[in-house]
C-alpha cells in the first residue's frame, strides 16, 4: 500500500491511497481537524486495535476505519453522501502498522508546520 498526504491550493487535505488493485484520492475540507482526527484514530488503533476518523467535505464525509492485527493494519475508507443511502466503499488496503503510523504522523506534522 502507498499513501501520500498533501494540502491543495484551496487548503484541503488530499490523501492518495493506492495498492495493487485500487487508487483513490480521499479529501477533507476540515483541515487541521481531519489530520488530528486521523492521528487520534491511530492512537486508538495502537491501544485498542481499532480506530475511526471522519473527514468532512461539503458534499458528504469519508469514514476511515483502521484495524490492527499484530504488526499489520487494514485500512478501510467509506464515503457517505447521503445518510439515507449510507456508506459506499472508497478504498481498502493492508500494510505494516508502524510504517502507516509513522508516515501519517510525519505528514500531518509537516503539513501543520507548513500552514503556520
Amino acid at each position: 500500500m502507498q499513501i501520500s498526504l498533501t494540502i491543495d491550493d484551496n487548503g484541503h487535505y488530499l490523501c492518495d491511497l493506492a495498492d495493487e488493485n485500487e487508487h483513490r484520492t480521499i479529501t477533507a475540507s476540515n483541515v487541521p481537524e481531519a489530520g488530528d482526527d486521523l492521528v487520534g484514530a491511530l492512537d486508538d488503533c495502537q491501544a485498542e486495535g481499532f480506530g475511526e476518523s471522519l473527514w468532512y467535505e461539503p458534499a458528504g464525509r469519508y469514514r476511515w476505519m483502521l484495524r490492527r492485527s499484530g504488526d499489520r493494519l487494514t485500512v478501510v475508507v467509506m464515503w457517505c453522501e447521503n445518510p439515507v443511502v449510507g456508506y459506499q466503499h472508497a478504498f481498502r488496503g493492508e500494510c505494516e502498522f508502524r510504517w502507516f503510523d509513522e508516515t501519517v504522523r510525519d505528514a500531518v506534522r509537516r503539513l501543520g508546520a507548513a500552514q503556520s
Side-chain angles (χ1 to χ4, degrees):
M1 190 171 105
Q2 299 173 345
I3 181 172
S4 76
L5 188 61
T6 58
I7 295 180
D8 70 9
D9 293 338
N10 295 318
H12 295 192
Y13 273 129
L14 298 178
C15 181
D16 285 318
L17 293 167
D19 72 0
E20 302 168 350
N21 304 314
E22 295 183 83
H23 175 258
R24 295 286 187 271
T25 300
I26 310 302
T27 60
S29 60
N30 61 324
V31 176
E33 294 85 5
D36 294 342
D37 199 50
L38 187 55
V39 168
L42 286 165
D43 291 340
D44 292 343
C45 195
Q46 175 67 38
E48 302 169 23
F50 182 77
E52 290 185 300
S53 175
L54 293 175
W55 281 24
Y56 294 95
E57 283 293 352
R61 68 179 175 246
Y62 287 100
R63 178 180 178 197
W64 294 72
M65 295 174 288
L66 310 175
R67 180 165 304 277
R68 183 179 55 80
S69 178
D71 65 347
R72 300 295 297 168
L73 177 69
T74 300
V75 177
V76 175
V77 183
M78 305 292 283
W79 168 252
C80 182
E81 188 173 325
N82 179 334
V84 174
V85 175
Y87 283 93
Q88 300 170 341
H89 171 84
F91 180 83
R92 183 184 189 285
E94 294 185 13
C95 62
E96 181 187 345
F97 175 80
R98 184 176 176 183
W99 170 82
F100 188 89
D101 183 67
E102 290 174 357
T103 301
V104 168
R105 288 177 192 276
D106 288 347
V108 168
R109 187 173 23 256
R110 176 180 43 83
L111 294 172
Q115 286 191 313
S116 299

